[in-house]
Amino acid sequence: MERRGTRVTTDVARVVLRRLLPSWRHPARVVVTAFATVIAMGTLLLLLPAAAEPGAQTGFVTALFTATSAVCVTGLVVVDTPSHWSTFGELVILGLIQVGGLGIMTIASLLGLLVARRFGLRLQLTAQTETKALDLGQVRRVVAGVVLISLAFEAVTSVVLAARLGLAYGYDTGQAVYFGVFHAISAFNNAGFALYPDSLMRFTTDAWICLPIIVAVVAGGLGFPVWVEIWRRRRGRKRWSLHAKITLLTTTALLVVGTVAISAAEWNNPETLGGLGIGGKLLAGLTHGVMPRTAGFNSLDIGQMESGALFVNDMLMFIGGGSAGTAGGIKVTTFALLAFVILAEIRGEPTVHVMGRRLTASTQRQALSVALLSVGAVVTGTLLLLTFTPFGLEAVLFEAVSAFGTVGLSTGITANVSTAGELVLTALMFLGRLGPITLASALALRERTRRYELPEERPIVG
């Protein structure tokens, strides 16, 4: 009787909550509202006099831009982080980065689990149950897993960076730990905020600084579901899911292509790689092959890069990293799925097969929708920036893609755009961080069966 009474009470509570909070039926609304609330709180904290250095003035748009960049783990800045913000302000930014990174990984993982349960599929995060809803135990396991993975990578990276700064650069213990922790959290969350005015340019040839940051960036960009599968494979599981295969293979391919392309384009450029030795060129090339995954750190002057290298950056930033990770962009899975669709069409195949599995028509439509709407957002943002700023197309396009892909790389124009331009970039960061995730989940959760079909007709294509 007691169990039955508890169950009735729980059911009544759910009904009441649904009546009072109808928006909770729509996960996309919850995600957008939650992130907007955190950004608003961060903006208010950054407006406090204690958040800025003595004598520095922080306007509302500057605080809003910085809070959005931190929560959306982008890294674009309109004021120099170490010189404008006080230690309190830097800690606020660091907290916003951590909340934004953990939040996006958790929310994306839970939405993926919800979508999978909606169609009765087995997601490789938890065991399949009979209900389509997420129970409290599943939510706890996902949240705990995200936190543990994040803290583990951040802790290891912090130790390596702090040790290097202390031993090689003479930082005292407290300063080394502070700088190590800040850059480790910023790296794993793909934020790109740095406590140096030149980002990582002073460490261009220092492998003990660049490599740990590279590892943290890639780890954060893979996504929680992939790390779950990697962990389970260590315990004897032999089969990879299609999502993990696509994410790992595409990520590896893009890292190789990005590193080779950028290194080749900048190899003899005296303003970037030209003045370095072979080892320095290879390390800096690898760094800049990884960072467009949405990390935002730079060990070379982006503004001095050749047009070919900038265009490669544009493409890599737009694609981004893995789903349910800290990276932005349309995601490597979306990019790969569209490539498989095109390949199947070229071959004249009636269905799309990927690594022993068949893609549903709805998955193909969702990937196409995310990609085309993202292109539309970048094009619109670029046109607005061209209208509101005096800069050329190459720099403006780079800035728009960087903001939408939540990357944080810049050719150096961010601090010089107008107030209207800052607001455009703020909107692009927010849309780029939440748009692909909420759109994909909303499309999947809204899918329903059509009871009739209209007569078929084929218009001319091409």
Side-chain angles (χ1 to χ4, degrees), residues 4 47 110 118 124 188 201 290 296 298 326 339 373-374 406:
R4 183 177 180 183
L47 284 172
L110 290 175
R118 166 68 173 79
Q124 308 301 327
F188 179 78
M201 290 178 62
V290 171
N298 62 283
T326 56
L373 288 175
S374 297
T406 68

Side-chain angles (χ1 to χ4, degrees), residues 103-245:
I104 208 67
M105 289 182 71
T106 302
I107 289 171
S109 298
L110 290 175
L111 285 176
L113 187 59
L114 181 62
V115 169
R117 195 57 45 80
R118 166 68 173 79
F119 297 107
L121 300 178
R122 180 184 178 89
L123 188 66
Q124 308 301 327
L125 295 176
T126 58
Q128 176 72 19
T129 60
E130 295 178 0
T131 176
K132 293 179 181 179
L134 295 179
D135 60 39
L136 186 59
Q138 291 172 315
V139 174
R140 285 177 176 173
R141 285 194 292 272
V142 170
V143 173
V146 169
V147 172
L148 287 175
I149 288 175
S150 300
L151 294 182
F153 276 104
E154 290 170 357
V156 173
T157 307
S158 298
V159 170
V160 176
L161 293 179
R164 181 60 175 175
L165 292 173
L167 296 175
Y169 296 93
Y171 286 46
D172 60 52
T173 303
Q175 191 179 29
V177 170
Y178 178 66
F179 274 68
V181 170
F182 188 99
H183 292 94
I185 293 176
S186 183
F188 179 78
N189 290 287
N190 280 218
F193 277 87
L195 294 180
Y196 302 103
D198 58 357
S199 190
L200 300 181
M201 290 178 62
R202 65 187 63 192
F203 305 116
T204 301
T205 58
D206 191 336
W208 286 99
I209 296 292
C210 292
L211 290 181
I213 289 179
I214 287 173
V215 172
V217 167
V218 175
L222 284 180
F224 176 65
V226 174
W227 280 112
V228 170
E229 291 205 35
I230 292 174
W231 177 257
R232 290 186 173 181
R233 190 172 178 82
R234 290 179 65 256
R235 301 170 62 182
R237 183 175 178 177
K238 298 181 179 180
R239 184 175 179 179
W240 293 97
S241 71
L242 180 60
H243 171 77
K245 289 180 182 178

